[in-house]
Amino acid sequence: MRFQHFTRFRLFCFTRFCLNNPTLRFHSIKIPKISLPLLFGAAMISLLCLQGCKDSSTITMATAAEFRPFEFMEGEEVRGIDIDIAREIAKRLNKQLEIKKMRFDSIIVATSSGTADIAISAITINPTREKMVDFTTPYYEASQVAIVKKGDSRFINIASKDELLEKIASIKDIKIAVAVGTTGHFFAAGDKELDFSGFQNAEVKAYSNASVAMKALQHSQVDIMIIDEMVATVLSRAWWNPNATLLPFRLTQEQYGIAINKSKTKLKESIQKALDEIKNDGTLEKIITSYL
């Protein structure tokens, strides 16, 4: 901010000096009188460039670092499958990676508005998001699953996805935990793109992230949780969470992709090429399996 104020002051002084000295000579080159609108226009363009131009050698990435194993904090470091993918792509493009952490429900808006160039955060490709951002081809096949408390007799002997959906729909005022803005949230509440009308009998409680939703289940504030399968697997096996049971029925079929600002067409082509490379040479598989 101080730099911006100093820059404005310098431009102001330069403008006043030029207006008061219309016949300045530098190295014998005569500078004609400069019109006020033209001078201030040039000054504003320079100022905007100083404030807003991005370094093309840097990729700015939005992520929600609360979705282990895809993105999470380990001390002060952001880690996870998506983070390693982003760093590998940036390395192959010979670019620096700048990571911006934010809530998951802000990621697509941030990418669409240009706050970030790309977003990698276990983002399901769907038509609504495709209206706002472009996507690469998928890099991960995903699905939604349910977690309940161990020993909950209401969910014993469930044998299929259909039976599970029927059971949830039959429980009056059931409370379902989800992470806000995720596919699990859309599924539980009802979504045309997922071809599911939701649970009309349920109270869907949206939490800021999956870990907070899981703690609500632990403390019996909700009856069931719906979340992405790999995240559910990690959470249900965590040492601090011995009383969770993952129900082995996939409620959806989804694909994760890298979201890219629609104006960044060349960047999209470069990222797609690098993504294809890490798929073909086995790097992507190594990254994913290293977190299992």
Side-chain angles (χ1 to χ4, degrees):
M1 186 63 70
R2 290 179 181 176
F3 172 75
Q4 292 174 357
H5 289 165
F6 179 64
T7 301
R8 292 191 184 101
F9 177 72
R10 290 174 63 188
L11 289 171
F12 174 77
C13 292
F14 175 74
T15 302
R16 291 292 303 273
F17 182 73
C18 288
L19 290 173
N20 293 330
N21 298 272
T23 58
L24 289 174
R25 292 176 180 270
F26 294 99
H27 300 289
S28 301
I29 300 175
K30 185 176 181 180
I31 299 177
K33 188 173 181 178
I34 303 172
S35 70
L36 186 62
L38 181 61
L39 184 60
F40 271 97
M44 288 306 298
I45 290 171
S46 299
L47 181 60
L48 288 171
C49 191
L50 283 169
Q51 293 178 348
C53 292
K54 290 185 177 179
D55 185 352
S56 61
S57 67
T58 300
I59 299 174
T60 304
M61 181 188 97
T63 195
E66 302 166 325
F67 210 63
R68 188 184 293 264
F70 288 95
E71 38 272 328
F72 58 93
M73 297 301 298
E74 194 166 90
E76 297 297 316
E77 183 183 5
V78 188
R79 295 197 58 218
I81 293 171
D82 286 337
I83 307 306
D84 287 0
I85 290 172
R87 286 176 174 149
E88 182 64 28
I89 288 174
K91 185 175 90 171
R92 296 192 182 210
L93 298 181
N94 196 29
K95 293 181 180 291
Q96 298 295 315
L97 182 68
E98 178 187 353
I99 299 174
K100 291 190 174 184
K101 296 176 291 180
M102 59 189 70
R103 282 172 53 116
F104 184 79
D105 56 350
S106 299
I107 284 174
I108 295 297
V109 173
T111 307
S112 175
S113 67
T115 302
D117 300 315
I118 68 172
I120 312 180
S121 198
I123 304 170
T124 298
I125 301 168
N126 67 37
T128 297
R129 289 170 177 161
E130 286 178 316
K131 292 176 183 177
M132 299 180 69
V133 295
D134 287 334
F135 279 98
T136 60
T137 56
Y139 66 88
Y140 187 79
E141 301 288 331
S143 60
Q144 299 298 304
V145 295
I147 304 176
V148 298
K149 290 191 76 172
K150 188 176 291 184
D152 190 333
S153 59
R154 296 173 296 179
F155 298 100
I156 293 175
N157 299 323
I158 300 290
S160 68
K161 167 189 169 181
D162 290 340
E163 284 188 23
L164 175 58
L165 294 177
E166 289 173 8
K167 173 58 69 174
I168 295 172
S170 71
I171 300 172
K172 185 179 179 181
D173 298 327
I174 188 172
K175 293 181 175 64
I176 303 174
V178 297
V180 65
T182 62
T183 303
H185 188 181
F186 302 146
F187 181 83
D191 189 272
K192 289 182 179 180
E193 292 173 4
L194 295 171
D195 194 27
F196 186 69
S197 59
F199 300 104
Q200 306 306 315
N201 59 312
E203 179 185 352
V204 179
K205 303 190 74 170
Y207 295 89
S208 60
N209 60 67
S211 295
V212 177
M214 176 60 79
K215 288 175 182 176
L217 178 63
Q218 280 184 307
H219 293 100
S220 301
Q221 296 169 357
V222 296
D223 302 288
I224 191 170
M225 175 179 173
I226 297 176
I227 199 70
D228 296 58
E229 183 177 22
M230 187 181 284
V231 178
T233 301
V234 171
L235 288 174
S236 63
R237 292 177 181 174
W239 65 269
W240 50 266
N241 189 27
N243 297 316
T245 297
L246 172 60
L247 302 179
F249 310 110
R250 294 180 172 179
L251 305 178
T252 63
Q253 295 295 326
E254 311 157 40
Q255 296 176 317
Y256 295 163
I258 299 173
I260 305 171
N261 181 282
K262 282 185 175 289
S263 69
K264 307 284 185 178
T265 53
K266 290 185 178 179
L267 180 61
K268 179 186 175 183
E269 292 172 3
S270 299
I271 289 175
Q272 183 62 63
K273 182 179 179 182
L275 180 60
D276 291 340
E277 288 176 359
I278 67 172
K279 285 180 182 178
N280 295 332
D281 66 17
T283 302
L284 179 61
E285 184 178 358
K286 289 179 181 177
I287 289 172
I288 293 172
T289 56
S290 70
Y291 285 90
L292 297 178

